[in-house]
Amino acid sequence: MASYSLVVSGEVHEGFDKEHVKSVFRTLTGLPEARTDELFDTGKFLRQHNLSEEQAQRKRDALAQRGIVCYLEKETAGSVVADDHTVAPVVPGISSHDDTLTDPPSMYARDDAKAGEETVHADVGGMAVEQQGEGERLPFIFAGRAGEFFRIWIVNLLLTIVTLGFYYPWAKVRSNRYFYASTCLKGDSFSYLAEPLAILKGYLVALLLIGLYVFANIFNSLASGVVILLLFALLPLLLVRALRFRARNTAYRNIRFSFTGGVGDAYAAFLLWPLLTIVSFGILIPLMIYKQKAYLFNGFRYGESTFRFDTSAGPFWRLYLMLFAMFIGAGVLISALTMVLSLGGSDLQSLPMVAMVLPMILLPLVYLGLYAFLFVRQTNLVYNAVALEQHRLQSDYALGSWLGLQIGNLLGVVLSLGLLIPWAKIRTARYRAQHTHFLAAGDLDRFVAAEEKKRSALGEEIGSAFDMDIAI
Amino acid sequence: MSAVTEACNTPGRRPDSVQGCYYDGKRSRRHPARLLVHGGCVRVCNEQGGLLDSMDSVRELRISPRLGNTPRAVYFPGGGHFETPDNDGLDRLMGGGGLVHWLESRYLFVSVSVVLTALLVWWFVVQGVPALARMAAFSLPDTVLQKLGREAHALLDEQWLQPSALSTQEQQRVRHAFAPVLENFRQQGYVLQVHFRGSEDMGANAFALPSGDIVFTDDMVRLAENDDELLAILLHEIGHVTSRHGLRQVIQMSSLMVVITLVTGDVSSLSSMAVSIPIMLMQLGYSRNFEREADALALREMLADNIDPLNFVTIMQRLQQQKACGGKKSATECGRGLPDFLSTHPQTEARLKPFLSAAGN
Ligand SMILES: [Zn+2]
């Protein structure tokens, strides 16, 4: 059987920014920066051996789409024809079969010992080879850049301001499109397809509702109470509309997502359960969260294929119990520390100061830490439970890196007086992509588009106004 | 109409093309493909030269507008689409990338946008929001003020205020001193009501609610050395009422929230906490302006009613001294208080200057 090798020449297609291509390539392969620079700046070559014709072509196309110049060379069976550029022997570990079974960082076996040689061995990982019947861990790749998004953000912000807000739906669509189109799975990006006009209509309706509420509130507290109750009663319905809008306008490989969760179930998850939680003094929170997440992720579809939320309420109970224990523990620790410090202090005047200031400094830090802990653990818990047919998601947010990201964003946004908001958004999206994987159980070519259904246009437009950030 | 059926590789003239992928919209399969434009006809061909999709007029195809370097799609009527990251190639074949993209990719315009946006946001926050809030506040009916005031009063009574410990005679005396001023404003259409309350948390204080209810704490009454000083404070609080400061504050606060939401979009979690800090600082700035407005009214009325403006100066200084030192140490021992931009009441010195110069005349 003929095998092929894929050669990356280190050149960049016309119209692509070299630095950008380099960073995309680094993300795809996990190759260290120095090696990537070597490849793109000093005329060295990178070669991957032992690919089938189809695999090699797929990888070539995926790379070419990202502006990376590469070509295929036919190898004679079992051995490699050394050409003018390569002098390195084949590294036995790099077969396409092994690639698919190991984690990305380790899967790009590198011949570091042969650093002096001209060839760098690495796998083109993002487009790793499909293996039927075997699992494959596909990374989500986020290729958005802060500089590029900053230009989009500031121009659209200005347009929104000078049009007194009427341009806002267009700005929002552009921003969403940027983040979707910059997110890649297996060489294909996501698309955001919402029509700005639909969103504008939704906003006008929402504005009308808010106006109604404000007027009712001004003239009569009883009427405003009625309106508030009405809004509360409508909230699950609006949420369903928003979910449908968001899902329908998301596509991957020209197959749209959809949301099929029922209105009645939405009322149970988002009205009944919160009420039960209140009645139970918060004890039922874990169960409520579980019910809500289950409702969401059991409702999504990709084409004809349904998503599942594959877990029970157990892990949620454990997580919240752990949180509660940590909260109590931190409280006890702080009180003890305060006591010890006030006992040890001999200076009578400084005594109450220590006792007062210490909890004031420590408590917000504890809250922040616990919030971060809950967010990270719950995100992992939820996304690890999401399944699409036999495929799964995998999420590995980590407490330290997530806190680092958030604190960096906070400092950046504050110190730049808001100018670094786009940068913070890009960093957040990149973090999310880097810490989420798609565990593909087979190839991704077999999803089938759903039948077009008639839908109430206005309903979804209203939903668009309440469109929340619900990530898929 | 007829060119559609032609084979993908037209012999003879070389059609212009871009590389990309085709998705038929029925299955999630990717077809590596080329898009060719030849004689006004658009065709998508796979690598073997097979025809995947076509359209006989470029103009009838929808192309997603260019957006940075993200890949973009050409949508065919049959539901298929061709996607390519080669934006320049697509523009060359199918026409322009859109005005907004043109603006976004011009560094000059981006720089201009930064400056203009900053100026507009600054202007809107400093000038626009207060002006809009003033307009809105004065066009709303009195019932709104009554409602706001009632709610605030109930909350205050519940949380921070206790019944007054002042004797009935003392309360009567102060009310008697206030009567002419209150009557004067009643004739102008303002319903004002003075309340005395005890409060451990607030100390010496007085505040006005939008409804025209003006609350004096017991400590405030005790702090005054004569009734004219209390009258000066009363006039200041009446200034807050007649200028509808309470309502304006509420409106300004909510408008700022809207502005911040528009500017930030949906920055998650911690970063949105960061933007509430500027809101707080701006609120302080707004309140200072309100204090100046209330002071101006107080001064005007005092001069009109032949009350010595010095009374405002003396009670404010005593108040300041008490606040800064907790009423225990002597004035020289305690610091000068908070810097101007952090305090709700402008630095007393600057604030009292108009009263002092009016008293000197
Ligand atoms: Zn005041």
Side-chain angles (χ1 to χ4, degrees), chain A residues 10-160:
Chain A
E11 291 160 75
V12 172
H13 280 297
E14 211 175 301
F16 284 87
D17 173 30
K18 191 172 181 182
E19 288 309 310
H20 180 221
V21 168
K22 269 159 75 173
S23 84
V24 168
F25 190 77
R26 249 198 336 270
T27 325
L28 286 174
T29 58
L31 207 64
E33 190 161 1
R35 285 303 183 82
T36 317
D37 288 343
E38 229 179 355
L39 174 66
F40 281 91
D41 296 329
T42 63
K44 292 196 175 176
F45 284 72
L46 184 145
R47 174 189 290 274
Q48 189 184 10
H49 298 290
N50 286 334
L51 300 169
S52 77
E53 186 173 8
E54 197 203 339
Q55 290 166 347
Q57 281 175 357
R58 187 175 302 136
K59 291 189 180 204
R60 181 196 58 194
D61 294 333
L63 286 174
Q65 267 201 9
R66 287 171 178 74
I68 298 155
V69 174
C70 53
Y71 50 91
L72 301 184
E73 278 174 8
K74 199 166 182 178
E75 299 171 347
T76 52
S79 75
V80 179
V81 183
D83 57 33
D84 301 327
H85 313 297
T86 45
V87 288
V90 193
V91 174
I94 312 185
S95 77
S96 54
H97 185 81
D98 289 348
D99 292 345
T100 61
L101 294 175
T102 44
D103 287 352
S106 58
M107 106 194 201
Y108 311 110
R110 268 157 234 132
D111 48 344
D112 283 329
K114 305 181 185 73
E117 295 172 11
E118 285 182 291
T119 312
V120 186
H121 288 279
D123 182 32
V124 181
M127 282 69 59
V129 187
E130 287 179 11
Q131 294 277 316
Q132 279 173 14
E134 283 175 33
E136 185 187 4
R137 191 169 180 263
L138 300 171
F140 285 91
I141 290 153
F142 183 74
R145 284 177 301 156
E148 188 176 66
F149 181 61
F150 175 80
R151 300 202 303 264
I152 293 167
W153 178 76
I154 192 76
V155 168
N156 284 276
L157 183 58
L158 180 67
L159 290 175
T160 304

Side-chain angles (χ1 to χ4, degrees), chain A residues 60-61 65 148 151 156 174 177-178 188-189 217-218 253-254 406 410 414 425 444-445 447 449 469, chain B residues 21 23 25-28 30 32 47 65-66 69 79 81 83 85 104 107 144 147 264 266 269-270 274:
Chain A
R60 181 196 58 194
D61 294 333
Q65 267 201 9
E148 188 176 66
R151 300 202 303 264
N156 284 276
R174 256 184 115 64
R177 263 188 63 208
Y178 186 81
D188 292 290
S189 54
N217 194 19
I218 283 168
R253 292 188 173 183
N254 202 10
Q406 294 294 332
L410 182 79
V414 170
K425 285 186 171 185
L444 300 183
D445 288 355
F447 294 102
D469 253 346
Chain B
C21 285
Y23 310 86
K26 296 178 187 71
R27 284 181 176 277
S28 61
R30 167 180 44 204
E47 286 174 323
R66 188 164 176 174
N69 268 325
H81 84 225
E83 199 176 296
E104 284 162 0
Y107 281 94
V144 182
K147 190 169 172 301
T264 56
D266 39 23
S269 54
L270 286 181

Side-chain angles (χ1 to χ4, degrees), chain A residues 20 95 183 234 387 453:
Chain A
H20 180 221
S95 77
T183 308
L234 280 177
K453 285 191 204 99

Side-chain angles (χ1 to χ4, degrees), chain B residues 151-199:
Chain B
E151 280 163 8
H153 204 175
L155 190 76
L156 283 167
D157 270 348
E158 208 172 285
Q159 304 257 339
W160 285 289
L161 301 177
Q162 295 93 42
S164 175
L166 297 174
S167 68
T168 327
Q169 290 100 319
E170 199 167 6
Q171 290 193 22
Q172 284 300 333
R173 196 198 75 234
V174 179
R175 280 187 198 284
H176 188 74
F178 286 176
V181 168
L182 293 180
E183 180 53 34
N184 182 15
F185 277 94
R186 186 163 300 135
Q187 279 166 12
Q188 293 174 40
Y190 295 104
V191 184
L192 302 168
Q193 192 144 25
V194 173
H195 307 267
F196 299 103
R197 290 283 187 279
S199 174

Side-chain angles (χ1 to χ4, degrees), chain B residues 22-38:
Chain B
Y22 178 78
Y23 310 86
D24 60 17
K26 296 178 187 71
R27 284 181 176 277
S28 61
R29 197 177 143 78
R30 167 180 44 204
H31 308 268
R34 254 177 341 136
L35 178 116
L36 306 96
V37 177
H38 179 53

Side-chain angles (χ1 to χ4, degrees), chain B residues 247-268:
Chain B
L247 187 54
R248 279 157 70 181
Q249 187 86 1
V250 170
I251 296 174
Q252 286 176 358
M253 176 88 97
S254 14
S255 330
L256 283 181
M257 288 298 201
V258 173
V259 172
I260 297 281
T261 322
L262 275 183
V263 172
T264 56
D266 39 23
V267 186
S268 63

